[in-house]
Amino acid sequence: MITGLTISTVWVLDQDSALKFYTEKLGFELRYDVEMGPGARWVTVGAKGQPDHSLTLMIPGPPAVDPESAQQLRALVAKGVLGAGVMSTDDCEATYRELSARGVEFVQGPTKRPYGIEALFRDDSGNWFSLTQRGEGFDESASWS
């Protein structure tokens, strides 16, 4: 039985640049930065106070991805068409101001949605994320139909 999700992959174009972005601009903490052999590096970061989930910052390529697919994946990341997930905040507008001041590129400012307040930003590779403040009484398990 699966009991949880502990690591999610974010495809990046440069691990050093991504590590700097996630730690210095988003305020994540470095979890691991380990050489895994020639040309392979395992880099994970995570939100402070959430030790049970990390993001692994991976460059597309072998052994996880064949060379042709890696080239296509790098092009999609660079084009900015891949959404990597949702990051939560207690105050979307304040976090938007804080991250904007650190140089994070937002493609949409805080906007009211049925589920709360959401802003959209890109990491330094081009991946986009939702920054979401859940609305009061929003139940993610409830049916949307």
Side-chain angles (χ1 to χ4, degrees), residues 21-30 45-48 55 87:
F21 177 87
Y22 282 84
T23 56
E24 293 179 13
K25 293 194 177 194
L26 297 185
F28 282 25
E29 60 187 10
L30 173 64
V45 296
K48 295 176 181 172
L55 299 177
M87 296 187 187

Side-chain angles (χ1 to χ4, degrees), residues 28-95:
F28 282 25
E29 60 187 10
L30 173 64
R31 303 272 169 84
Y32 292 100
D33 188 352
V34 180
E35 295 294 328
M36 300 294 287
R41 184 174 165 202
W42 181 254
V43 179
T44 64
V45 296
K48 295 176 181 172
Q50 188 183 17
D52 58 337
H53 189 261
S54 296
L55 299 177
T56 180
L57 308 175
M58 293 187 65
I59 295 176
V65 179
D66 65 86
E68 181 182 346
S69 297
Q71 182 179 9
Q72 294 169 344
L73 193 50
R74 280 192 296 275
L76 290 171
V77 169
K79 193 173 181 179
V81 298
L82 297 182
V86 178
M87 296 187 187
S88 60
T89 180
D90 292 331
D91 186 336
C92 188
E93 293 185 17
T95 304

Side-chain angles (χ1 to χ4, degrees), residues 116-139:
I117 301 172
E118 174 187 58
L120 299 176
F121 70 91
R122 293 194 189 285
D123 71 7
D124 67 320
S125 291
N127 297 298
W128 64 268
F129 289 87
S130 168
L131 175 67
T132 301
Q133 173 186 339
R134 294 282 187 214
E136 289 196 31
F138 179 75
D139 182 359

